[in-house]
Every structure is written in C-alpha cells, then in structure tokens.
Amino acid sequence: MEQTLSIIKPDGVSKNLVGTILKKFEDAGFKIANIKYLTLDSSQAGEFYSMHKEQPFYEELVNFMTSGPCIPFVIEGDNAILKVREIMGSTNPAEAKEGTIRADYADSIDRNIIHGSDSIESAKREISFFFG
C-alpha cells in the first residue's frame, strides 16, 4: 500500500471544496489515512517549499500558502502517487484534463487548489513534515 501527501491549499479551503476534493479520492478507491486543518506560518511554508527557494515564484508561493488555512492529508492506496496526481490534473489548470480537480476548480497556475507529492522520496519527506 503506497502513501502520498496532498494538501488542499488555502484557495480550496476558502471555496468550500474540502468535502468535494476528499470525496474524489475516496470515490477512486483511496483511503484518507491522516488529516489536519492548520494555517502555516512563513517559517513552516518556507521550509516545506525549500526546494523552490531559488525560483522566482518562491516568495509568492510562501505568501499564498500562509494566507489562510490548508488541509494536509495522507492518501493510501495502490500506486497512490501517480494516481493522485492524475486525479489532481496538471499544475497549470488550463492544461489539466477535464474532470480533474485543477481543471474543474483552480483559477490559475499560482492558485491551483491542491498539492500532491511527486515521488516516493517527496511523499516520505512531506508526510513526515506534517505528521511526524
């Protein structure tokens, strides 16, 4: 059973999409193994996204992720990392397949509703970050 981390970002929480998003994963056969509701501070968001520190979008990303509550959660199931990313859709919602979370609900590449781990290594690091 593979585990991955996903985060409903502040825009997803403010749009009242929490239940809708969680249901998409459950309907696809995944189990929500752990979940939190929290607001990141700048230090936490900066640490979580530290791999992007040299990118021009880093500061805006940290500001966005601290702008309101978010919901990190652990998803469990067969081939979870790949399948969860398919359900989320492309990072740029304009390029996301119809029916994916980002195609249906995201406003832009910067406000794209949801985060998901992109590898086994990232999933382990990210799950540990939020759930110890």
Side-chain angles (χ1 to χ4, degrees):
M1 203 60 63
E2 189 172 75
Q3 288 190 329
T4 189
L5 183 99
S6 191
I7 303 171
I8 301 173
K9 296 179 180 181
D11 55 338
V13 174
S14 70
K15 289 181 176 185
N16 296 316
L17 293 171
V18 174
T20 301
I21 290 170
L22 294 175
K23 185 169 177 5
K24 278 198 176 264
F25 294 115
E26 290 179 329
D27 287 350
F30 291 103
K31 177 184 174 187
I32 307 301
N34 212 336
I35 190 167
K36 287 184 177 183
Y37 181 93
L38 57 90
T39 301
L40 296 170
D41 63 29
S42 294
S43 175
Q44 292 168 317
E47 181 181 344
F48 185 77
Y49 288 107
S50 63
M51 75 290 296
H52 299 303
K53 196 166 191 136
E54 302 305 317
Q55 299 297 324
F57 59 82
Y58 173 77
E59 189 173 325
E60 184 178 336
L61 176 60
V62 169
N63 289 338
F64 168 59
M65 289 302 294
T66 59
S67 67
C70 65
I71 300 180
F73 57 105
V74 177
I75 302 172
E76 222 172 56
D78 292 331
N79 205 14
I81 294 167
L82 179 63
K83 289 180 181 175
V84 163
R85 292 186 66 77
E86 288 173 359
I87 293 167
M88 291 184 341
S90 176
T91 303
N92 183 347
E95 298 171 359
K97 289 183 183 176
E98 189 174 326
T100 63
I101 293 168
R102 288 175 173 150
D104 291 350
Y105 305 112
D107 295 326
S108 69
I109 195 168
D110 299 323
R111 304 275 188 270
N112 64 11
I113 301 288
I114 193 162
H115 165 88
S117 303
D118 62 3
S119 68
I120 291 171
E121 296 77 20
S122 291
K124 287 178 182 176
R125 181 185 71 81
E126 293 174 358
I127 290 168
S128 176
F129 183 87
F130 285 107
F131 298 99

